[in-house]
Amino acid sequence: MGIQTQSALIAAILLLALALNVGLQERRVEHRWSFVGLLAALFFYNFTIFLHEVAGGGFWTRMLMLAGVGVAQASRRFFDRYLASTPTASRSRLPVRTVVDGGSAAAVVLVLTRLGESTFLGVCVAGLAMLSYGHGIWRLYERYRRAETRVEVRRLSYLVLGGAVSVGLSTLDLLAVSGTPVPAFGHLFTTVYMYFWMQVVQRSRLLDLKELLGRGLALIVQSLATSAVYVGLLLWAADQPGLFLFNILLASVVLFFTFEPLKRLVDLWIGRLLFRDTFELEIQLTQLRRELAHVISLGDLADRVLDRLQASRRVTHASVFLLEEGGKAYYAPRTVGPSEVTRLHVVKGRALLDALLRERVVSLEQVEQKLRDLEDDPAATTEAERLQAIRATLISLQAGLAFAVLARDRLVAFLTVQDVRTREAFSSNEIALIAGITAQITTVVENSELVTRLKERDRLQVMGEMAAGMAHEIRNPLGAIKAAGQLLEPDDMDEEQREFVEVIIEECDRLDSVLSQFLDYARPYRGTLEAVDLHPVLERVSTLLKAEAPGVAVVLEVADGLPAVEGDADHLLQVVLNLARNAVDAMEAKGKLILRAALVREDGDGRIEVQVVDTGPGIPPEARDHLFVPFFTTKRKGTGLGLAICQRILQHHQSAIHVDSEVGRGTTMSFRLPRAEAN
């Protein structure tokens, strides 16, 4: 079995694998079946060459000629479909198509006659296949000359160059079959060329293909360099067995210590020669990492990132979008390149923001590819709408790529980049390089938030101390004002004056109540946690409410055998009574109020849940987020400190208030306490 036969078998196996790979793709692939037909024809042609050499002539000679006709037809059909969108001169295309179709029909007829095994017919069929295949490559060259975009020029230049080499080596294969002593590499190179075509048909990124070729070249150079060192040391002492074994050991030690430095050196020079853009980007991002180690300000962060990206000359547009303090939008303090959108509301950008949380990197190119894949799937309307929303947002942001900056599963910022000079602007390696700096951006954002929180905490602590002192100072003159009002003789006043005095006393009492609650809120917690039976606590609240609001039906529901909880009885009474009074006020002193306590299974032995359920009007959605904010109230005479104090008390009980409310159907306030024996 000669090298021609072996290469034909290897090529046939690889071509079959490529055909199955393309044919079994789940996503929509343009020109799929015409390309699968070409791969199948080339597989059959190479496989019949192998069988012809192994089993001899006769039947397999005729099959080989039919395989050649198949290659001619499959080549014509594939190139017709791929080049259908580009006008070519009909005078140059029509005669060749007529020759290929007419020659194919004539060859099929002649194969069935006595001429089916003649060498002349075999040469004619081989020439017909080469004519069809070579003409397709020529038409690619014509399209290359008319190409307008940079990506199209690059794509077609690869295809034309590879096709020309494939035609040349395949011609040498025919000479090798005729007995001419030339190497037979056409089968294998054409298979490699078909692999490249597969990447193009499946819309793989050409920048990644170029990068793959470059990395392969680096590996070859490195292999040759290490082999030269190894072989040189061995040949030095080939005729001296002792020294030969010593040199084997010496060569292995030398390669062990020089492998990594040699690899870095080869990668460095290959990067400089073949990937100058990527090399410059990597240098700028390395410098950016060093700079970000000393950055805390978010404004400085955006400036450093954008300055380095702009210095790399790999982007025409770039932005760093930071989360606003309220969490309702993302803003870009500065952009590279003109941009109409510098603020993205979370509602408008929801589709993109959710995609960033899931995928970390969102590519406009991939989004458009997925949309093309869904064109023939009517059931994917929802997914198509989501992708269209992402595409529209990316376009409005002048973003070809968006990178998430996550902190504790929260999208705190995102980086966008684009190069409008070409559609396929960034290779996978460049995308990975840019994505690599997002971790350091996350650290800067977290440090900035921490510094801001510390400053705010210190500011609030100082203000709290000042406010507590002022509250104490206010209570003294307030008491004097109230006492003076009470000392006035009501008999010496008319009705209007008495009313004014009552207002003074009433408002002094209300202001004193506010100051007392404020001091309770500001005062450090001094309660003692011990085993508390909740039944007497809830029963006491029920008794007080029945006396205060006789129009409210108070129902007490305490589970039998309820375990004791770890807490402070007085403070728990204060919490439940405050929640219950709020419920009574919401129901306007009429309706039904349920005080409930039951064991709830959680991790470990479970907790005791206390619920205060009312049949009032419910809490509006816009008020729920502010219920526990100090001084926020929906009551006409409320202070807005009651719920804040309750929440603070429960924090020291390892709990918090949960609100479940629906407008028109009432509200349930609940909290869970640990069992006394569990601690």
Side-chain angles (χ1 to χ4, degrees), residues 137-164:
I137 302 300
W138 175 256
R139 291 169 62 193
L140 277 177
Y141 174 70
E142 289 183 332
R143 179 166 174 174
Y144 162 76
R145 293 175 58 188
R146 295 183 177 90
E148 297 179 355
T149 65
R150 178 182 171 187
V151 172
E152 190 72 4
V153 169
R154 183 180 299 174
R155 185 193 305 271
L156 292 175
S157 65
Y158 295 156
L159 294 176
V160 171
L161 179 60

Side-chain angles (χ1 to χ4, degrees), residues 457-510:
R457 186 195 67 180
D458 293 341
R459 186 180 69 84
L460 291 176
Q461 183 176 357
V462 172
M463 291 184 62
E465 293 174 356
M466 292 176 58
M470 290 178 63
H472 279 292
E473 294 300 323
I474 291 173
R475 295 186 77 180
N476 293 328
L478 186 64
I481 294 172
K482 179 181 177 181
Q486 291 174 332
L487 290 175
L488 293 175
E489 292 293 337
D491 296 337
D492 298 336
M493 304 178 188
D494 57 26
E495 183 176 352
E496 184 178 2
Q497 291 175 333
R498 281 196 299 271
E499 184 178 350
F500 287 153
V501 171
E502 291 174 359
V503 169
I504 291 173
I505 297 173
E506 181 181 344
E507 292 301 316
C508 285
D509 289 338
R510 191 172 71 85

Side-chain angles (χ1 to χ4, degrees), residues 410-572:
R410 185 169 61 101
L411 186 66
V412 295
F414 63 92
L415 168 67
T416 64
V417 295
Q418 185 179 40
D419 185 354
V420 297
R421 295 167 294 191
T422 176
R423 192 65 166 174
E424 296 177 357
F426 302 95
S427 67
S428 295
N429 185 42
E430 291 172 330
I431 294 173
L433 287 174
I434 299 175
I437 67 169
T438 57
Q440 200 155 357
I441 294 176
T442 300
T443 302
V444 175
V445 173
E446 288 181 325
N447 290 341
S448 177
E449 290 181 343
L450 178 60
V451 170
T452 302
R453 285 198 299 269
L454 290 175
K455 290 181 178 179
E456 183 67 13
R457 186 195 67 180
D458 293 341
R459 186 180 69 84
L460 291 176
Q461 183 176 357
V462 172
M463 291 184 62
E465 293 174 356
M466 292 176 58
M470 290 178 63
H472 279 292
E473 294 300 323
I474 291 173
R475 295 186 77 180
N476 293 328
L478 186 64
I481 294 172
K482 179 181 177 181
Q486 291 174 332
L487 290 175
L488 293 175
E489 292 293 337
D491 296 337
D492 298 336
M493 304 178 188
D494 57 26
E495 183 176 352
E496 184 178 2
Q497 291 175 333
R498 281 196 299 271
E499 184 178 350
F500 287 153
V501 171
E502 291 174 359
V503 169
I504 291 173
I505 297 173
E506 181 181 344
E507 292 301 316
C508 285
D509 289 338
R510 191 172 71 85
L511 186 55
D512 184 68
S513 175
V514 171
L515 291 173
S516 298
Q517 291 187 56
F518 174 76
L519 290 173
D520 288 340
Y521 180 75
R523 187 179 296 117
Y525 179 79
R526 295 188 178 91
T528 301
L529 300 183
E530 56 187 6
V532 176
D533 184 0
L534 284 177
H535 192 279
V537 173
L538 298 181
E539 196 170 33
R540 174 65 175 162
V541 173
S542 175
T543 301
L544 290 173
L545 290 177
K546 288 177 180 178
E548 294 177 2
V552 175
V554 181
V555 179
L556 185 62
E557 297 180 0
V558 180
D560 295 335
L562 192 68
V565 299
E566 190 79 7
D568 183 291
D570 292 337
H571 283 112
L572 291 178

Side-chain angles (χ1 to χ4, degrees), residues 38 114 125 152 215 232 242 384 387 442 479 535 539 628:
L38 177 59
R114 294 180 180 180
V125 171
E152 190 72 4
R215 300 308 173 197
L387 292 172
T442 300
H535 192 279
E539 196 170 33
F628 304 103

Side-chain angles (χ1 to χ4, degrees), residues 76-333:
R76 182 188 64 76
R77 290 178 181 275
F78 171 68
F79 285 111
D80 279 350
R81 280 175 168 74
Y82 185 78
L83 299 169
S85 59
T86 301
T88 56
S90 60
R91 289 179 297 180
S92 64
R93 181 175 60 184
L94 186 57
V96 174
R97 178 173 184 176
T98 303
V99 170
V100 172
D101 289 346
S104 298
V108 171
V109 173
L110 292 175
V111 164
L112 301 177
T113 66
R114 294 180 180 180
L115 296 176
E117 299 181 18
S118 68
T119 304
F120 175 75
L121 182 59
V123 171
C124 291
V125 171
L128 186 69
M130 291 302 300
L131 173 65
S132 179
Y133 183 65
H135 184 251
I137 302 300
W138 175 256
R139 291 169 62 193
L140 277 177
Y141 174 70
E142 289 183 332
R143 179 166 174 174
Y144 162 76
R145 293 175 58 188
R146 295 183 177 90
E148 297 179 355
T149 65
R150 178 182 171 187
V151 172
E152 190 72 4
V153 169
R154 183 180 299 174
R155 185 193 305 271
L156 292 175
S157 65
Y158 295 156
L159 294 176
V160 171
L161 179 60
V165 176
S166 174
V167 170
L169 293 179
S170 297
T171 303
L172 291 179
D173 280 359
L174 296 178
L175 295 177
V177 171
S178 65
T180 305
V182 294
F185 296 122
H187 299 294
L188 296 179
F189 185 85
T190 300
T191 302
V192 174
Y193 182 55
M194 288 298 108
Y195 174 77
F196 186 82
W197 258 112
M198 182 182 73
Q199 306 304 317
V200 174
V201 168
Q202 292 179 333
R203 298 185 183 274
S204 292
R205 311 183 78 250
L206 291 179
L207 290 177
D208 294 344
L209 297 178
K210 180 183 176 183
E211 185 174 288
L212 180 62
L213 294 174
R215 300 308 173 197
L217 178 60
L219 182 61
I220 292 173
V221 172
Q222 181 183 347
S223 300
L224 292 175
T226 54
S227 299
V229 174
Y230 201 90
V231 172
L233 289 172
L234 295 182
L235 292 179
W236 178 23
D239 56 345
Q240 303 177 47
L243 187 58
F244 181 76
L245 294 177
F246 173 76
N247 280 1
I248 291 178
L249 178 61
L250 178 61
S252 301
V253 172
V254 170
L255 291 179
F256 177 79
F257 286 105
T258 60
F259 180 82
E260 282 299 326
L262 182 62
K263 179 179 183 297
R264 287 195 297 269
L265 182 63
V266 171
D267 286 343
L268 177 64
W269 283 103
I270 290 295
R272 286 182 175 178
L273 293 174
L274 297 182
F275 310 106
R276 293 184 180 179
D277 293 343
T278 304
F279 183 73
E280 180 62 28
L281 177 64
E282 188 170 3
I283 290 176
Q284 294 295 333
L285 294 182
T286 300
Q287 295 177 356
L288 175 62
R289 289 189 182 92
R290 297 195 190 101
E291 293 175 358
L292 291 182
H294 309 286
V295 172
I296 294 179
S297 167
L298 294 182
D300 195 14
L301 163 70
D303 289 340
R304 297 294 180 92
V305 172
L306 298 180
D307 286 344
R308 287 300 175 186
L309 288 175
Q310 191 172 21
S312 71
R313 293 177 293 181
R314 290 293 293 115
V315 302
T316 58
H317 296 77
S319 302
V320 177
F321 283 85
L322 305 170
L323 183 63
E324 289 183 351
E325 186 175 350
K328 295 182 178 180
Y330 293 82
Y331 71 98

